[in-house]
Amino acid sequence: MSPAPTPAPARFRDPRSTVYDFLGSVLVRCPRCERAAYVQRDPHRAHQKTPSVFFAPRRLACGGCGLSRMWSGGSVEFSVGTAVPACDPYFRLPVWLQTETRHGWLWAYNLEHLTSIRQFVAASLRERAPWYDDTGRKMTLVARLPVWIKSAKNRTEVLRAVDRIQTTLSASRPPDGR
């Protein structure tokens, strides 16, 4: 009798995305009602010319309490590291999708970002993007993840943290169900 075939390892190929690719819609904690709200590019001002997509006008919208605010430019401040909770770069509101672990804070801007982190962590075979590619993106999201998230010995703990983050969505549904 021959042994049962072993399943193919879960493979993750770096899609060369960066953390900036996930800024289209950021889930944040509403400053008024503490529920999930969105920071998105303002569709009514999308026609305005801006020097960079990072500085395009943004709108904070909460479906829970109706709060709406505009960000029209100025400074953008990105969260660095995992020692402190993450905030969105525009309104500096706490990111909704985050949890603390014994190693630091695990966070994501939106579900697509969180899914990318989950797929990377869960994979037993991780393929990096080649540095000589023609995209010019040398520091991808995966390359910039902290060592403790990349470490195989922390895989179970990080995946549990991702699950905890996802349960926060069922506790307070985002305004439009995304």
Side-chain angles (χ1 to χ4, degrees):
M1 197 184 247
S2 64
T6 55
R11 173 181 272 179
F12 178 88
R13 289 186 178 156
D14 190 347
R16 297 184 181 111
S17 57
T18 67
V19 72
Y20 311 116
D21 294 328
F22 299 102
L23 287 174
S25 179
V26 180
L27 271 166
V28 297
R29 185 169 303 279
C30 176
R32 185 186 292 164
C33 70
E34 297 291 313
R35 292 178 62 191
Y38 282 102
V39 173
Q40 297 176 320
R41 286 186 71 175
D42 184 14
H44 305 294
R45 296 184 184 186
H47 63 280
Q48 291 180 344
K49 294 283 184 185
T50 56
S52 167
V53 70
F54 301 126
F55 297 105
R58 304 285 168 157
R59 177 180 297 278
L60 166 65
C62 178
C65 67
L67 177 68
S68 179
R69 292 186 182 159
M70 286 298 303
W71 180 89
S72 297
S75 66
V76 177
E77 188 176 332
F78 291 97
S79 295
V80 178
T82 60
V84 296
C87 292
D88 84 279
Y90 301 100
F91 294 94
R92 300 300 302 150
L93 295 172
V95 172
W96 183 265
L97 301 174
Q98 64 182 319
T99 190
E100 189 172 18
T101 70
R102 66 187 172 114
H103 304 286
W105 286 85
L106 177 66
W107 58 272
Y109 284 137
N110 52 43
L111 286 174
E112 183 183 5
H113 187 187
L114 188 64
T115 300
S116 183
I117 292 170
R118 172 190 281 287
Q119 289 171 345
F120 171 77
V121 171
S124 56
L125 178 60
R126 301 169 178 170
E127 297 180 21
R128 292 183 178 173
W131 300 123
Y132 53 83
D133 67 347
D134 57 356
T135 65
R137 295 181 174 195
K138 300 199 183 315
M139 289 303 288
T140 65
L141 169 70
V142 170
R144 287 181 170 264
L145 285 173
V147 172
W148 64 268
I149 293 176
K150 295 179 191 181
S151 176
K153 71 179 182 180
N154 295 329
R155 179 176 287 136
T156 304
E157 183 179 354
V158 173
L159 290 174
R160 275 193 313 242
V162 169
D163 290 340
R164 279 196 315 270
I165 292 171
Q166 286 183 317
T167 60
T168 64
L169 286 175
S170 59
S172 176
R173 268 290 180 221
D176 60 359
R178 281 188 234 175

